Amino acid sequence: MSQPPSGTRVLIVEDDSIIAMTAEDMLDEVGCKTAAVAGTVAEALARTADTDFDIALLDLNLKDENSLPVARALRDSGKRFVFATGYDGLPADSGFADAPIICKPYRIEQLATVIAQTLAA
């Protein structure tokens, strides 16, 4: 299992509070820190502007919206991110064909590895 650098700050964008809390616990276990949690696109965009973080974990589907606008803002600002989805990948027209993805439900080893690899890329 690859490990992210100790103290890596993660922005979690997740609309399901149980999944968000589980992700926080997993991140804590591998030495990361939760910088903030957002459950909507509007909250996530606000946190990208006012929160210091190293990488974002983006749930693709947030209730009636998706996190693609957040991913665009992160890409434009040079921030790293990983999509998390329970579906079969990203929409073909998303513009993020090469973005890292972790499939839900994920295990701690998978989360640690994808964060470490994305930060190292």
Side-chain angles (χ1 to χ4, degrees):
M1 166 175 73
S2 297
Q3 289 283 95
S6 182
T8 297
R9 297 158 301 179
V10 183
L11 168 62
I12 300 172
V13 179
E14 172 61 63
D15 62 337
D16 183 309
S17 59
I18 299 296
I19 295 173
M21 288 188 294
T22 301
E24 285 185 89
D25 289 345
M26 288 180 179
L27 291 166
D28 186 54
E29 204 168 314
V30 297
C32 294
K33 307 248 184 256
T34 300
V37 178
T40 66
V41 169
E43 288 174 352
L45 290 171
R47 296 302 73 81
T48 64
D50 67 14
T51 303
D52 194 20
F53 61 96
D54 302 301
I55 190 167
L57 179 63
L58 306 177
D59 179 15
L60 179 61
N61 292 303
L62 304 168
K63 293 192 181 15
D64 296 331
E65 52 189 356
N66 65 49
S67 62
L68 294 176
V70 181
R72 285 186 205 97
L74 292 169
R75 180 176 58 195
D76 292 348
S77 66
K79 288 281 194 177
R80 306 278 172 96
F81 59 90
V82 174
F83 283 109
T85 183
Y87 298 97
D88 192 23
L90 300 174
D93 61 349
S94 70
F96 292 98
D98 59 345
I101 300 173
I102 188 168
C103 294
K104 291 176 169 182
Y106 46 80
R107 295 185 322 272
I108 190 170
E109 300 84 12
Q110 294 168 308
L111 184 60
T113 298
V114 75
I115 289 173
Q117 290 174 344
T118 302
L119 288 172

